[in-house]
Amino acid sequence: MSTPIALTVAGSDSGGGAGIQADLKTFSALGVYGCSVVTALTAQNTQGVNGVFDVSPTFVRAQMKAVFEDIAVDAVKIGMLGRADVIEAVRLDLKRYKPKWVVLDPVMIAKSGDRLLHKNAMKALLNDLVPMADVITPNLPEAGALLKLKEPITDPDQMAAAARKLLALGPKAVLLKGGHLTGDSASDLLVTEEGESEWLPGRRFQTKNTHGTGCTLSAAIAAGLAKGQSLSDSVKQAKAYIANAIAMADSLEIGRGHGPVHHFHGLWQQ
């Protein structure tokens, strides 16, 4: 059997809890070899983003070329892109190298509230990348931004309607995450272009240490796809993985703000 390989195209988190670092940890924890294309450097910790240094589109494409022309990538996870010209660079190389699976996490805002997607890049994200994705994984605020909703999504009926509208934007599937709903439930909704719809129940954990949850979940989905699992099975495995990572997050005691989840909860604990 060949080694399953996943590529993350995302920003670097110097604090190690999100972005490229979280993705590579997730790939490794789930038995997948990870490669990376860095789209931006962030000066970041558990308390916030202190600065962002964008990588040029030319160098983003140089990284894509270096990986794809040597390594047989099974799945691509896309996270923070930041700028419209970087989005265009990624689009061109996805079209060129045609990876089997593309998981798009439309990263816009950091856990601290800092903006990670330029306002003028939203159109490029919608037009250039969303239609190329096999699955997109927005949370409720991101879904509202993508759909230009005037009111927040607050209940399951609104989630279902939003998921169908997101699917109409062109991806093959949508995993709409319900973590921003109120109450004890944090159910997600998976809808596909074949018309399938599945609610995936989730438990809500009382912890502030949830930095990198979105990155980690989408990376875990890409890991499952890289291993040859179906989309449905990959999503379910990813949800179980992130639930355990959040459950064990408090044991790490990293930083003074929103700490990271425990990516290696299955391998070591404090």
Side-chain angles (χ1 to χ4, degrees), residues 26 33 36 47 59 87 115 127 129-130 155 164 191 195 200 208 211 239 261:
T26 301
Y33 182 83
S36 62
Q47 299 181 82
F59 197 69
I87 291 172
R115 176 169 286 276
N127 294 341
L129 281 189
V130 169
D155 62 51
R164 290 192 295 270
V191 296
L200 304 168
K208 68 173 184 177
H211 183 50
K239 279 186 62 66
V261 301

Side-chain angles (χ1 to χ4, degrees), residues 109-125:
I109 305 293
K111 183 70 65 180
S112 59
D114 296 282
R115 176 169 286 276
L116 299 177
L117 179 71
H118 292 210
K119 291 183 178 180
N120 62 3
M122 179 66 77
K123 183 178 179 180
L125 183 68

Side-chain angles (χ1 to χ4, degrees), residues 238-251:
K239 279 186 62 66
Y241 171 75
I242 189 60
N244 288 326
I246 295 173
M248 296 303 300
D250 289 356
S251 68

Side-chain angles (χ1 to χ4, degrees), residues 94-250:
L94 290 178
K95 185 177 180 180
R96 178 180 182 183
Y97 296 111
K98 297 178 173 61
K100 183 177 180 181
W101 293 102
V102 175
V103 179
L104 173 61
D105 183 23
V107 175
M108 300 177 192
I109 305 293
K111 183 70 65 180
S112 59
D114 296 282
R115 176 169 286 276
L116 299 177
L117 179 71
H118 292 210
K119 291 183 178 180
N120 62 3
M122 179 66 77
K123 183 178 179 180
L125 183 68
L126 282 168
N127 294 341
D128 296 342
L129 281 189
V130 169
M132 300 184 75
D134 292 287
V135 59
I136 62 173
T137 63
N139 58 32
L140 297 185
E142 289 164 347
L146 289 169
L147 296 172
K148 300 179 181 178
L149 300 179
K150 295 181 180 179
E151 299 294 334
I153 301 167
T154 58
D155 62 51
D157 288 339
Q158 292 176 339
M159 274 187 68
R164 290 192 295 270
K165 291 177 182 178
L166 288 167
L167 194 63
L169 297 176
K172 293 183 176 66
V174 175
L175 178 67
L176 184 52
K177 300 177 293 189
H180 287 79
L181 292 175
T182 58
D184 294 331
S185 175
S187 296
D188 301 337
L189 176 60
L190 177 65
V191 296
T192 69
E193 62 179 358
E194 292 82 15
E196 298 176 356
S197 179
E198 185 176 8
W199 283 98
L200 304 168
R203 174 186 168 192
R204 189 179 301 280
F205 296 91
Q206 298 303 315
T207 176
K208 68 173 184 177
N209 296 317
T210 56
H211 183 50
T213 52
C215 303
T216 299
L217 177 66
S218 55
I221 294 171
L225 294 170
K227 292 190 289 188
Q229 298 173 356
S230 69
L231 176 60
S232 178
D233 287 344
S234 296
V235 169
K236 291 173 183 175
Q237 168 206 269
K239 279 186 62 66
Y241 171 75
I242 189 60
N244 288 326
I246 295 173
M248 296 303 300
D250 289 356

